[in-house]
Amino acid sequence: MSDIRKWLEEVRKLDADLLDAMGVQSKDHPKLGAVAAFPYIRSGKPYAAKFRTLDKRWSSSAGVSRGLYNEDDLGRLKDLPVVITEGEIDCLSVMQSGYERAVSLPDGWTADGEKRQCLLDAEDRLRQSPYVIVAGDNDEAGRSLPKAVANILAGHEVRYVTWPTGCKDANDVLVAY
């Protein structure tokens, strides 16, 4: 088992079967070295990837504008809510915790909302859910995400998560509890 895979399973507490089902792999990136590769899939086919090191350095496929991570989930189980997270590991943590429809912003969120386009592109599909749950990070940027999503989805029910004390995001909760 590579150090990356071991880290995802033992430190981040992500299930090996889920990682396999989502196509997450350990790779040797030409600039970053050992990385976790998170494939971005549209209509069942990979079109891009995000690469992340253990020390949070990252890169993505060059020349490709990525949509939401796990965006194909928006087309299935439409009677269930959609959970929006700020990272691939958080998206996987939410899925492992039992929420079957989860997506992530490709590179987190910024307080100024400059990363709205992938949400705008997915607006019609997000509106097909009974409601949306925003599970942003417990930081300034993350706390501004629910309002941004509510503005984009005006008239659609938008809920948000408040993390337990000491937890910054979905993966912190998975690890702690």
Side-chain angles (χ1 to χ4, degrees):
M1 180 186 311
S2 75
D3 289 342
I4 294 288
R5 186 65 180 230
K6 183 176 180 180
W7 173 76
L8 288 169
E9 292 177 25
E10 294 180 9
V11 176
R12 294 302 196 147
K13 305 295 185 196
L14 293 170
D15 183 76
D17 291 338
L18 176 61
L19 293 170
D20 291 341
M22 295 300 291
V24 178
Q25 299 178 4
S26 298
K27 295 213 177 223
D28 187 28
H29 189 276
K31 294 181 181 173
L32 298 174
V35 296
F38 299 91
Y40 275 65
I41 298 169
R42 184 172 291 140
S43 301
K45 300 197 183 303
Y47 69 95
K50 181 171 177 183
F51 309 99
R52 186 187 186 281
T53 65
L54 293 178
D55 62 356
K56 291 189 174 186
R57 291 177 297 125
W58 62 272
S59 181
S60 58
S61 299
V64 177
S65 177
R66 288 172 290 138
L68 296 170
Y69 175 72
N70 197 34
E71 70 181 66
D72 279 0
D73 235 14
L74 297 178
R76 59 181 209 88
L77 301 171
K78 293 180 182 177
D79 58 326
L80 297 176
V82 174
V83 180
I84 300 173
T85 68
E86 284 193 68
E88 297 82 7
I89 290 175
D90 291 328
C91 180
L92 295 169
S93 298
V94 165
M95 292 170 69
Q96 185 169 313
S97 298
Y99 288 87
E100 296 185 47
R101 292 181 78 202
V103 296
S104 175
L105 299 167
D107 298 318
W109 183 249
T110 57
D112 62 10
E114 69 183 45
K115 299 181 178 183
R116 302 178 56 184
Q117 192 59 50
C118 61
L119 292 169
L120 292 168
D121 293 345
E123 179 181 355
D124 291 341
R125 292 176 294 158
L126 290 167
R127 287 183 179 279
Q128 292 175 13
S129 67
Y131 57 93
V132 171
I133 302 169
V134 180
D137 290 356
N138 186 17
D139 58 19
E140 181 183 351
R143 287 188 293 274
S144 72
L145 182 56
K147 183 176 181 179
V149 172
N151 285 339
I152 290 168
L153 299 177
H156 192 73
E157 186 174 351
V158 176
R159 302 176 185 183
Y160 65 93
V161 172
T162 302
W163 301 117
T165 301
C167 294
K168 174 182 106 20
D169 56 31
N171 188 251
D172 281 356
V173 174
L174 179 66
V175 170
Y177 298 98

